[in-house]
Amino acid sequence: MGFRSQHNNARGPYKGGIRFHPEVSEEEVKALSMWMTWKCAVVDIPCGGGKGGVIVDPKKLSVGELERLAKGFARRITPIIGQEIDIPAPDVNTNSQIMTWMVDEYMKVANNKDIGTFTGKPIEKGGSKGREQATGLGGAYILEELAKEFGLDPKNTSIGVQGFGNVGYWFAKLADELGYKVVAISDSKGGITDENGLNIDNVYKYKKTNGSLQDFQNDGKTLHNITNEELLALEVDVLAPAAFENVINDNNANDIKAKYILELANGPITPSAEKVLLEADIVVIPDVLANAGGVTVSYFEWEQNKADSYWTEEEVFEKLKPIMAKAFKDTIKFSKKYDTDLRNGAYILAVNRVSKAMKK
Ligand code: GLU
């Protein structure tokens, strides 16, 4: 069973990823499509909000089954998507290979050559340079803005990353390169911590060979294995949940010790848990801002496809950085103006932009 939800297209075509996960539901896909509307408005790109999902555990499928599933889903949504209508992209458990299968099937069934109907494609098939790292990179740009705003010194700022998929990996790697101390990482099976900072490339290689992070050795030293729950409760400056919804909830909100939470996943904090965090003066940088780098580079890909002209990686990064910085500043401005937290600030900003477009 699969879904595609189209929430709002006042500012441009519906835009948003497709996830493959056993816990996908119609309600979840609808909520995620609404977040895409606000996210695209926060970074001020001309796109609306959409989302798709299939109830499946892709890890249990063979490559052939995965290809047939991707193409089957693309066939079923072909009548409601299109380059100027609704533009899917990768999300949880979907990647550039899956986008290639989907766009090939879409172009065959729709009988057109609108390769910009899907974004997140591989470079060889019309993808954009920098799309692969875009969400993590956007998060790293927001981290830099956060550091400027709150006076954080990178080398004295510790970070814990929950989730080591595309987003968690790139964010951890780029934060490390910017001089921050990434002291803990976890994936679905558990994590590791080292207060002196982890070597992200070595962690990545270890996971590729061993399938998990357990018993990873940092520069020859065996590390302390931790659970996901323990990672969330670590005493770090910045906690970056980069996996799924609702990981910070009523059961663990009181255990959170981080000073800042950078929401790289969509919806990692439940509303009632957020109240607890805000009362404890924890600053939450909302998903619609923190992880908007991905959809922004998707929009760049769409522009390049339509112009049939491609940018260098440097050009992509040069265009992404000011967009993220402006979105951060706009969010701060609205939260101050309305004397509210950053999530509400981002929502007020986004609802204003969307409602203006709808009225016009
Ligand atoms: N799935 C990503 C998100 O939640 C990217 C969506 C896109 O590129 O359209 O923002």
Side-chain angles (χ1 to χ4, degrees):
M1 177 84 81
F3 310 93
R4 181 78 189 164
S5 166
Q6 300 176 326
H7 176 257
N8 188 290
N9 65 350
R11 292 171 43 89
Y14 302 108
K15 184 86 197 78
I18 295 171
R19 60 173 58 181
F20 285 177
H21 196 272
E23 266 141 50
V24 160
S25 68
E26 184 176 341
E27 290 71 22
E28 183 203 45
V29 173
K30 283 162 87 170
L32 288 162
S33 71
M34 179 188 70
W35 276 322
M36 289 308 300
T37 301
W38 310 140
K39 192 185 297 186
C40 294
V42 166
V43 281
D44 209 5
I45 57 172
C47 301
K51 198 81 173 198
V54 178
I55 307 171
V56 65
D57 183 356
K59 290 177 186 142
K60 292 198 179 127
L61 302 184
S62 68
V63 177
E65 284 169 334
L66 196 59
E67 177 177 351
R68 289 193 292 282
L69 173 65
K71 291 187 169 175
F73 187 67
R75 265 196 310 279
R76 299 303 302 271
I77 62 170
T78 289
I80 58 158
I81 63 169
Q83 196 164 258
E84 305 298 336
I85 303 166
D86 181 356
I87 305 148
D91 197 74
V92 174
N93 289 332
T94 52
N95 56 21
S96 60
Q97 173 64 75
I98 292 176
M99 293 307 114
T100 304
W101 286 326
M102 288 190 175
V103 77
D104 275 354
E105 188 70 6
Y106 164 79
M107 291 191 296
K108 190 168 87 182
V109 176
N111 194 23
N112 67 36
K113 293 212 162 33
D114 295 346
I115 193 121
T117 304
F118 284 78
T119 60
K121 302 179 294 289
I123 312 278
E124 303 77 22
K125 295 285 281 183
S128 174
K129 300 237 168 67
R131 177 64 186 86
E132 178 77 21
Q133 58 267 57
T135 310
L137 178 62
Y141 288 152
I142 293 294
L143 177 67
E144 285 192 293
E145 292 301 317
L146 179 79
K148 270 193 247 162
E149 179 72 26
F150 292 90
L152 308 179
D153 173 15
K155 64 178 185 310
N156 294 323
T157 303
S158 59
I159 303 183
V161 183
Q162 189 241 359
F164 204 47
N166 170 284
V167 178
Y169 163 66
W170 280 105
F171 174 75
K173 184 177 159 71
L174 296 164
D176 180 47
E177 281 172 16
L178 288 170
Y180 293 84
K181 254 198 315 181
V182 181
V183 297
I185 292 182
S186 68
D187 68 5
S188 56
K189 296 186 190 110
I192 43 169
T193 178
D194 185 346
E195 59 186 19
N196 299 319
L198 296 160
N199 180 324
I200 311 303
D201 280 327
N202 286 350
V203 176
Y204 182 76
K205 275 185 226 140
Y206 184 87
K207 179 173 166 155
K208 273 225 130 163
T209 339
N210 298 282
S212 87
L213 305 173
Q214 302 295 292
D215 304 323
F216 169 75
Q217 298 201 330
N218 204 28
D219 300 328
K221 184 173 70 176
T222 303
L223 297 185
H224 187 51
N225 288 331
I226 51 171
T227 63
N228 266 288
E229 279 302 309
E230 285 169 331
L231 186 141
L232 294 171
L234 282 179
E235 223 163 283
V236 288
D237 295 303
V238 181
L239 176 64
F244 293 103
E245 290 106 71
N246 305 337
V247 292
I248 300 175
N249 50 49
D250 288 343
N251 299 328
N252 60 7
N254 281 308
D255 304 331
I256 306 292
K257 295 176 199 75
K259 299 186 190 81
Y260 304 90
I261 302 186
L262 189 67
E263 290 190 321
L264 295 177
N266 291 311
I269 303 174
T270 64
S272 55
E274 182 155 15
K275 282 203 187 103
V276 177
L277 303 178
L278 294 176
E279 267 161 31
D281 286 330
I282 297 172
V283 177
V284 177
I285 301 94
D287 47 8
V288 292
L289 171 65
N291 72 29
V295 73
T296 303
V297 178
S298 271
Y299 160 61
F300 294 165
E301 179 175 335
W302 179 68
E303 277 201 312
Q304 294 169 74
N305 289 156
K306 294 206 296 179
D308 200 12
S309 161
Y310 290 83
W311 312 346
T312 63
E313 193 170 81
E314 289 71 35
E315 281 177 279
V316 171
F317 296 166
E318 271 165 28
K319 287 181 207 249
L320 178 63
K321 193 172 177 158
I323 291 181
M324 299 306 296
K326 177 157 191 313
F328 184 86
K329 291 195 180 94
D330 287 348
T331 301
I332 295 275
K333 195 169 93 192
F334 272 75
S335 71
K336 285 191 177 149
K337 184 171 168 195
Y338 291 90
D339 191 22
T340 186
D341 56 84
L342 294 181
R343 188 186 313 281
N344 275 329
Y347 282 167
I348 298 168
L349 167 69
V351 171
N352 258 298
R353 286 181 176 158
V354 172
S355 71
K356 270 191 193 140
M358 291 179 79
K359 278 185 191 143
K360 290 275 190 292

